[in-house]
Amino acid sequence: MRAGAKKGASTSLNGDVRNDLIKKVLFDAPPRPAIRLTPEDFERHETIERAWKLVRQQRKQEQEKGLARKFEMMRKANAELEATSPVLFKHSQSKERNAVFPRQLRTLTDTPPKQIWNYRQPTNATPKA
Amino acid sequence: MPVPRQSLKGSAILSSHQIRLASTKGGVVDDSKLQKDKSVDSVVLAPKEEYTTGVSRLREHYHGTVQDDLMVLTYNHSFKPKPTIPDGVRVELKGNKHLTPAPKAPSPRHIPELVKIDIHCMMKEALVSKYNLLSGFMAIQSITGEMPEIIHSKKGVHLWKLRAGNPIGCKVTLKGDKMYQFLDKLVEVVLPRMKEWPGLPESAGDATGNIGMGFPPSAMSLFPEIENNFDMFPRMTGFDVTFSTTASTNLEARLLLSGFNMPFQQKVRFAAAAPSAATSSGPSSIDKASAV
C-alpha cells in the first residue's frame, strides 16, 4: 500500500473508474487549436456568411409578407361578418378551451411512412365489441 | 497596411493586436503564437453561439404548417387592450390570482414560437461527493450536444448536509437547431417509449406561455446516445425540461407544443344530449392512438 493511503481507498474518483474517464473526456482533454485564417480566407469566410445571412433574411421577409397578407384577409373577413350578422359573429368567435393539434398531425419527413393511414384505428365513436 | 475590414455584426474577429479570450467551448488563444505571426496578420475565429446551417425538420414544419394555423387559432377579433398600470402603483388581485403580462394585440408578428428549451438536472448524490455529478453532466451533454453549466447551491441547508456554494446540479439552454433536434428526439424516440406516460396534463403551463415537464431516471436511458453505451454512465438521473415560448397564455403554449406532436391528455367530453356515447368519459387512452 502507498504511504498515506487509507485502507480500501481506490485511486479513481468516488471509487468509480468511469468517473475518471468522464472527467478526463470532459475537462482534461487538450483544447482544440483555434482556427486561423489568412486575410483572403477570412474574406471568403465572411462573404459566405454574409450571403447565407442574406438568403435567410430574404426567406424570412417573404414568409412575413405571406403571413401579413393572410392576417389582413382574416381581419377583413371577421370585420365583414361582424358588420353583417352579430349572432353569427358571436358564434364564430367561440373557442374551444383546451384546443390542441390532432395527434395524427404529421411532421415533415424525407420518405413516406410504412403505414400511410390506419383505417382500423378505434375512435371514441366506434362501438366497443 | 491592410484596409480595416467591415465585419458582420455578431461575428468575432481577433486581430493580431487584440487578444480576446475565447469562450470555454472553443480553443484557447495561444498568446505566444500570436506574437510570432505579427507579420502574417492571420485571424482567429471564435466559435458561434447559435447557428443555422441548413434544413431543420421541426423548424421547417413550424414555418410551413404550424405558424399559419396558430395565427388563425389564436386570433381574437374583439381584442381590447388592458389599461396600463402606471409606475409605482401596486395592484392586488383577489384570491390567489397573479398579475399576468398584458396580452398583445393580435398581429402577424405575435405568433407563438418556441424560443428555447432549458434542461436541468439536480443530483442528490452530489451532496455526498461532487464527482457523482459527472454522470449527470456527461449524460446531459450527450443528449443535448451542448456543454452544461454547473449549478452551485446559493444557500446551505444543514438538514440535507448542503453547504452554500456546493455543486449540486447542471443545466443547459438550447436554442435554434439544437433545440429543434432535442425536441425531435424527445417526441419521436423518448416519449413513445416511456412506460405509462399519459401525456402532458390538460392544464399544463405557467400563465405566461412556458411549459415544464420532468423525467424520471428511467427516461434518460431511452435516449439513443445513452442507450448505446449505457454501461459507461455510473448513474442515471432524472431531469426537467422547460419549453420557453413567446405565447402569452397556457392555451397558446399548449397549441404550439401539440403542433410538434407533443401529446397532451385529452378528456373525452360529450354534449348533454348524447345518449349513444359508448365510451366512458375520462382521459383517452394513449395506447390506442398509434404514432404515425
Side-chain angles (χ1 to χ4, degrees):
Chain A
M1 288 240 294
R2 278 177 299 145
K6 287 191 195 156
K7 189 175 181 186
S10 57
T11 50
S12 38
L13 299 170
N14 211 37
D16 204 326
V17 190
R18 295 176 290 187
N19 277 336
D20 264 345
L21 181 64
I22 291 174
K23 181 165 182 272
K24 197 163 63 164
V25 165
L26 286 175
F27 304 112
D28 303 336
R32 288 190 192 158
I35 304 166
R36 311 199 115 258
L37 296 177
T38 57
E40 296 85 18
D41 275 340
F42 181 76
E43 211 173 313
R44 286 181 198 118
H45 169 78
E46 286 281 276
T47 310
I48 295 169
E49 291 277 359
R50 206 178 283 126
W52 176 230
K53 210 165 193 176
L54 190 65
V55 166
R56 280 167 54 206
Q57 195 181 55
Q58 286 167 350
R59 282 186 191 167
K60 191 175 178 194
Q61 276 172 358
E62 268 175 43
Q63 226 166 49
E64 283 180 353
K65 256 199 276 177
L67 279 175
R69 215 176 46 226
K70 285 177 198 165
F71 184 86
E72 186 54 31
M73 289 285 115
M74 186 166 61
R75 193 194 59 77
K76 278 190 194 158
N78 271 278
E80 204 177 309
L81 183 60
E82 195 177 16
T84 311
S85 158
V87 174
L88 284 174
F89 177 74
K90 191 181 164 200
H91 281 297
S92 76
Q93 296 301 300
S94 64
K95 282 192 171 73
E96 198 190 319
R97 254 229 230 124
N98 296 315
V100 286
F101 278 85
R103 287 244 180 100
Q104 295 90 347
L105 177 68
R106 194 169 140 63
T107 43
L108 291 176
T109 48
D110 284 332
T111 52
K114 283 184 202 167
Q115 186 188 50
I116 304 288
W117 188 257
N118 184 5
Y119 294 96
R120 299 193 192 288
Q121 169 143 325
T123 61
N124 295 322
T126 54
K128 279 188 182 159
Chain B
M1 281 296 291
V3 178
R5 271 174 245 106
Q6 275 253 307
S7 68
L8 288 181
K9 222 205 263 184
S11 70
I13 316 170
L14 297 168
S15 71
S16 52
H17 310 291
Q18 296 166 295
I19 299 171
R20 196 194 310 168
L21 289 171
S23 69
T24 49
K25 289 174 203 170
V28 178
V29 174
D30 196 340
D31 289 15
S32 57
K33 278 194 190 152
L34 265 170
Q35 300 302 322
K36 280 182 211 164
D37 291 337
K38 250 183 191 162
S39 57
V40 178
D41 189 30
S42 61
V43 156
V44 176
L45 275 185
K48 271 181 156 187
E49 285 296 325
E50 191 190 324
Y51 59 90
T52 317
T53 47
V55 175
S56 165
R57 193 179 84 102
L58 285 189
R59 176 190 275 121
E60 297 296 314
H61 173 68
Y62 172 74
H63 286 301
T65 309
V66 181
Q67 201 178 31
D68 286 5
D69 291 350
L70 275 181
M71 185 174 71
V72 174
L73 288 168
T74 59
Y75 180 71
N76 178 17
H77 194 75
S78 345
F79 169 80
K80 284 178 193 71
K82 263 194 203 170
T84 51
I85 302 164
D87 284 333
V89 173
R90 199 171 191 179
V91 178
E92 280 185 18
L93 298 172
K94 284 185 197 171
N96 283 331
K97 287 189 184 168
H98 297 283
L99 205 64
T100 49
K104 299 171 220 161
S107 142
R109 291 183 164 275
H110 294 147
I111 301 173
E113 185 171 4
L114 193 60
V115 172
K116 64 180 169 89
I117 294 181
D118 286 300
I119 296 119
H120 164 253
C121 105
M122 190 272 284
M123 292 182 77
K124 278 200 194 141
E125 300 84 20
L127 289 168
V128 174
S129 158
K130 67 178 178 183
Y131 299 117
N132 284 332
L133 195 53
L134 284 168
S135 177
F137 194 97
M138 189 61 165
I140 292 206
Q141 196 194 10
S142 314
I143 287 170
T144 61
E146 287 262 336
M147 190 93 151
E149 173 200 337
I150 296 179
I151 303 239
H152 300 270
S153 56
K154 288 177 194 156
K155 287 187 190 174
V157 178
H158 187 66
L159 186 70
W160 297 329
K161 296 172 192 164
L162 177 73
R163 281 171 287 125
N166 268 4
I168 194 68
C170 48
K171 82 163 189 192
V172 68
T173 303
L174 296 175
K175 290 182 182 176
D177 275 5
K178 285 197 172 146
M179 171 183 77
Y180 284 117
Q181 240 169 33
F182 179 77
L183 178 58
D184 206 350
K185 246 185 284 182
L186 258 189
V187 161
E188 296 287 325
V189 177
V190 177
L191 293 178
R193 284 195 204 172
M194 276 171 71
K195 294 208 174 95
E196 295 178 17
W197 186 70
L200 282 174
E202 241 186 353
S203 56
D206 69 357
T208 48
N210 308 314
I211 292 184
M213 59 188 299
F215 289 90
S218 50
M220 191 168 255
S221 49
L222 301 171
F223 279 89
E225 294 88 357
I226 309 239
E227 201 184 11
N228 287 332
N229 40 13
F230 182 78
D231 299 319
M232 296 310 292
F233 295 91
R235 192 166 197 115
M236 289 290 126
T237 169
F239 57 99
D240 52 71
V241 176
T242 310
F243 303 97
S244 303
T245 69
T246 54
S248 48
T249 58
N250 280 345
L251 168 68
E252 286 178 10
R254 274 180 249 132
L255 258 176
L256 174 63
L257 275 197
S258 64
F260 293 117
N261 277 334
M262 176 71 70
F264 283 84
Q265 294 171 27
Q266 285 167 281
K267 292 213 176 107
V268 180
R269 289 195 176 84
F270 299 99
S276 57
T279 52
S280 58
S281 67
S284 62
S285 61
I286 192 173
D287 303 314
K288 282 187 185 167
S290 58
V292 177

